[in-house]
Amino acid sequence: MSSRNSQANKAAARERLRAEREAQAKKDRIRRQVIVGVGVVAALGLAGGIAYGVMKANEPDHWEKAAKAELVKPKNTSGEDGTTVVVGKADAKKTLELYEDSRCPACASFEQAAGEQIKKDVEAGKYKLQYFGATFIDNAVNGEGSKNALSALGAALNVSPEAFLEYKGALYSKEQHPEETVDSFAKDDYLLKVADTVAALKGNAEFKKAVEDGTYDRWALEMSKVFDKSGVKGTPTLKMDGKKIDTPQTAEAFTAAIDKALQG
């Protein structure tokens, strides 16, 4: 091999090495740019995710929004906010005030003992029934069931006073009433399942829509405020024209207590 060819080959080899080094350097630069770019995107994504999480955490929840929603009053109510709920014959001289929380186990026991007798007494005109709905158990053991059930009771009241009483009894029934710490009433599907046991509500499209849309959520909150301002500390509480009655545990004891209160 001539020295000339050897020098040319060496020059060519050096050129190839230079070109390869430049190509590798270019690849390295591109790889670093990609890594940096991915890191920036990831960082931006993380920051965006954190910002979105903070934004969602600071958004008002459903019931905070409901408190500012338009107030829809159920039919068969009176008072400025529709929070006066009186069921019975207009000429009944006495009024039994009943304070209850839908999640309250003691209320369920009371309703199972005396609920049917109350309906009979109201139908007979023995007295009118004024209902006060509470939601304090939602705060005591966490949840939304008291508020949601009260809203559904508003939807039943919009159908008729009779549907309201029947539905209230169904919610408190031994078969349907959950444990205090089990928030079944927070689920619309469960409330509608209970409603299917009430003839006036079963298959009632207007009632179903009102429950699912939360039509009476704001009303439920306003009703709860009335209870909070009443001075009553626990449920169930009974009063006859403002005078407290000891809560009886049987239908017979209830009738005796009511008859005594009616004479007072």
Side-chain angles (χ1 to χ4, degrees):
M1 182 180 292
S2 69
S3 61
R4 181 178 178 182
N5 287 339
S6 177
Q7 291 175 353
N9 289 339
K10 288 179 180 179
R14 285 195 299 270
E15 181 61 26
R16 284 197 302 274
L17 287 172
R18 185 188 65 77
E20 289 174 359
R21 285 195 297 269
E22 288 183 353
Q24 185 61 47
K26 184 177 181 180
K27 289 180 181 178
D28 290 343
R29 285 196 302 274
I30 292 173
R31 186 173 65 253
R32 287 194 298 270
Q33 289 171 351
V34 169
I35 292 171
V36 171
V38 169
V40 170
V41 169
L44 289 174
L46 178 60
I50 293 172
Y52 179 76
V54 171
M55 180 187 72
K56 295 299 288 184
N58 289 329
E59 278 187 359
D61 67 15
H62 171 79
W63 291 99
E64 288 173 334
K65 291 179 181 177
K68 299 178 181 178
E70 179 183 359
L71 175 62
V72 181
K73 306 173 188 177
K75 297 175 185 174
N76 306 300
T77 64
S78 58
E80 182 179 355
D81 295 325
T83 53
T84 301
V85 177
V86 179
V87 179
K89 296 182 177 180
D91 59 356
K93 296 180 180 180
K94 295 284 188 176
T95 300
L96 176 66
E97 301 169 23
L98 180 58
Y99 299 77
E100 293 181 323
D101 186 311
S102 295
R103 292 177 69 181
C104 168
C107 295
S109 296
F110 168 74
E111 286 281 346
Q112 290 164 25
E116 286 299 318
Q117 188 60 50
I118 290 175
K119 284 192 291 184
K120 291 176 182 178
D121 290 348
V122 169
E123 290 170 3
K126 195 171 182 178
Y127 49 79
K128 296 187 287 287
L129 177 69
Q130 183 171 4
Y131 172 79
F132 296 84
T135 64
F136 63 87
I137 291 178
D138 282 351
N139 296 327
V141 298
N142 296 323
E144 302 178 355
S146 294
K147 293 186 287 288
N148 209 37
L150 185 52
S151 177
L153 282 166
L157 186 59
N158 192 67
V159 174
S160 71
E162 293 75 21
F164 167 78
L165 289 181
E166 290 290 340
Y167 187 47
K168 184 164 71 70
L171 289 171
Y172 283 123
S173 68
K174 186 177 295 185
E175 297 78 16
Q176 307 288 356
H177 196 268
E179 295 292 328
E180 185 176 14
T181 54
V182 179
D183 201 17
S184 301
F185 290 164
K187 302 175 180 66
D188 291 344
D189 288 348
Y190 190 85
L191 294 175
L192 293 172
K193 176 185 174 182
V194 177
D196 281 344
T197 66
V198 177
L201 303 181
K202 185 176 182 179
N204 188 314
E206 183 179 1
F207 169 82
K208 182 175 184 290
K209 186 175 188 302
V211 171
E212 293 177 337
D213 291 352
T215 301
Y216 301 105
D217 285 357
R218 167 71 187 280
W219 174 83
L221 295 177
E222 296 303 321
M223 171 65 85
S224 181
K225 290 178 185 177
V226 173
F227 174 89
D228 292 342
K229 294 176 182 177
S230 70
V232 172
K233 301 301 182 183
T235 56
T237 291
L238 284 73
K239 296 181 180 181
M240 184 64 76
D241 289 338
K243 186 176 180 180
K244 189 174 180 180
I245 304 171
D246 290 337
T247 305
Q249 300 301 314
T250 66
E252 294 76 12
F254 171 78
T255 297
I258 288 298
D259 287 346
K260 181 178 178 181
L262 289 173
Q263 295 170 5

